Amino acid sequence: GLGFEITQGEMEIRADAYWFGEAQSRAVVSISIDKQIQFEAFMKSSGIDFEFLGKVIENAVVVNTENWGNIKQWESPYNEKISSLMAG
């Protein structure tokens, strides 16, 4: 039931490609704030490219400062879209 607040970092890339591109080897990792410095140090020492996208927040979905509403309103479309398309 938690939401998120995220911001596009690299503005040279089209927003749809940035958020939904299917380049290989991408993963989203959520960590507690007290582990952020340690995690970033590990990533840097490993030579793995990474980017800080945002933070977990209560209920809302916020993308590039635009509030997209409550996370609950996105739950059903996310979970049921493929099955509804296949049904008909």
Side-chain angles (χ1 to χ4, degrees), residues 6-76:
I6 55 177
T7 303
Q8 180 174 344
E10 193 169 331
M11 298 309 247
E12 298 84 39
I13 299 173
R14 288 188 343 246
D16 61 325
Y18 183 86
W19 294 115
F20 304 107
E22 297 183 12
Q24 295 180 349
S25 302
R26 288 186 182 180
V28 174
V29 178
S30 180
I31 57 168
S32 63
I33 194 71
D34 60 317
K35 303 279 188 194
Q36 182 177 349
I37 293 172
Q38 181 182 0
F39 179 78
E40 289 180 0
F42 168 76
M43 295 298 286
K44 288 176 186 173
S45 69
S46 298
I48 300 170
D49 291 335
F50 71 97
E51 183 175 350
F52 178 78
L53 296 176
K55 61 185 177 180
V56 174
I57 60 174
E58 291 286 327
N59 304 319
V61 174
V62 181
V63 180
N64 293 334
T65 70
E66 182 180 337
N67 189 325
W68 290 14
N70 190 296
I71 192 73
K72 286 291 183 192
Q73 78 186 55
W74 294 97
E75 186 175 12
S76 178

